[in-house]
Amino acid sequence: MLTEVEFVLDARATLGEGPCWNPELQSLYWVDIIENKVCIFDPKMNKNREIQFEQHVSAVVPKSWNKAVVTLEDGFYELHLQTETLSLIREIESRFPNNRFNDGKCDAYGRFWAGTMNKVNPHEKQGALYCLDTDRTVTMKLNKVGISNGIAWSKDNQYMYYIDTLTQKVVRYRFHIQFGEIEHPVEIISFAEEEGFPDGMTIDEEGMLWIAHWGGSKVSRWNPDSGEKLTAIDVPALNVTSCTFGGPDLSDLYVTTARDGMNESQLEKYPYSGGLFKIKTGVKGTSACFYKG
């Protein structure tokens, strides 16, 4: 598999995360969690628009050409992209003041799945995975989660893949798209300690999973049926946080990275940390789903 890694934006994000391609706008949505920013990157114009908030924002998904849905620390919000105004959809986890939302993504039915974590001590496993349905009701799907992270669905929507970063594993659930239910968890991929930690995740048109390595300076491609690692691509940033396919034909793998927690010597070794990268992987991805509530 021929690959080409391109450094496309020197964002110097503290915690770049949550990339999501909007095919209607041909733009990449992503966030800087720690700096409280939603970003919209236009590759054609090479411009990155930033929308500033007053609290951490961890995930963003498109709803229409001028609206998106985001997870702030305390819940789900609708964001009007023209006016940059927010409206609360549902507040979540007020009983856990140390928690914040983390990664999230929409399924093919238009539900928004997003998880939480304890931002002070993730090892307490105080997080959960929630689903914002199209009628705007919210259901807890998993509890006792450490760091809720990557989510992906198989092309036939028979399975959902999920990462709790602290477990260093990918778990496959049987997925019932009609009702938004998951069951029968099976561990399908395990990360070795020297690989770093599994973070964000996406899936390509061949049904293979692409996983970002926090602390591992790479993205890797896996067969979810066999658990086999098919390839790994080095990224010149220590903490690789997530990835998604974009571009006119979904052949560009966009990769977010972070500077958070790095010391001076690490920043000297990885000066591009916090930047946005694009990789020509030789395969195409699947289109992101919009929230339909």
Side-chain angles (χ1 to χ4, degrees), residues 87-128:
S87 58
L88 177 65
I89 297 174
R90 285 288 183 273
E91 188 178 48
I92 308 295
E93 292 210 329
S94 56
R95 68 189 188 283
F96 291 131
N98 288 332
N99 274 18
R100 70 162 174 84
F101 266 95
N102 202 42
D103 207 359
K105 196 172 292 183
C106 285
D107 65 24
Y109 194 81
R111 308 177 188 93
F112 187 10
W113 296 67
T116 59
M117 58 178 282
N118 184 315
K119 61 186 178 183
V120 178
N121 182 12
H123 291 278
E124 289 188 2
K125 295 187 177 181
Q126 198 170 276

Side-chain angles (χ1 to χ4, degrees), residues 159-207:
Y159 298 105
M160 187 185 88
Y161 307 105
Y162 177 67
I163 292 172
D164 176 349
T165 292
L166 293 185
T167 68
Q168 292 195 282
K169 298 181 186 299
V170 179
V171 177
R172 182 187 69 201
Y173 291 86
R174 185 72 176 175
F175 179 60
H176 300 278
I177 187 169
Q178 183 179 357
F179 304 106
E181 298 295 340
I182 54 174
E183 60 181 0
H184 304 313
V186 177
E187 296 177 354
I188 59 170
I189 294 170
S190 296
F191 264 47
E193 284 188 18
E194 62 270 18
E195 297 263 44
F197 291 86
D199 202 319
M201 173 171 58
T202 192
I203 193 166
D204 65 33
E205 66 175 2
E206 297 175 4

Side-chain angles (χ1 to χ4, degrees), residues 24-56:
E24 292 184 1
L25 299 181
Q26 288 293 296
S27 295
L28 183 78
Y29 295 177
W30 63 287
V31 301
D32 185 341
I33 297 177
I34 301 298
E35 302 302 328
N36 309 341
K37 296 176 182 177
V38 163
C39 302
I40 303 175
F41 177 65
D42 181 342
K44 191 173 182 180
M45 301 298 293
N46 196 33
K47 290 185 177 180
N48 189 60
R49 176 187 173 194
E50 297 180 351
I51 303 174
Q52 187 73 51
F53 300 109
E54 295 182 358
Q55 57 173 298
H56 294 340

Side-chain angles (χ1 to χ4, degrees), residues 17 31 33 57 71 83 135 156 199 237 241 252 257 264 281 289:
E17 258 286 8
V31 301
I33 297 177
V57 54
T71 47
T83 62
D135 63 359
D156 61 8
D199 202 319
T241 56
D252 299 326
T257 64
E264 285 188 20
T281 63
C289 297

Side-chain angles (χ1 to χ4, degrees), residues 76-80 85-90 136:
F76 295 93
Y77 291 77
E78 185 173 280
L79 169 63
H80 195 290
T85 54
L86 288 168
S87 58
L88 177 65
I89 297 174
R90 285 288 183 273
R136 299 197 167 198

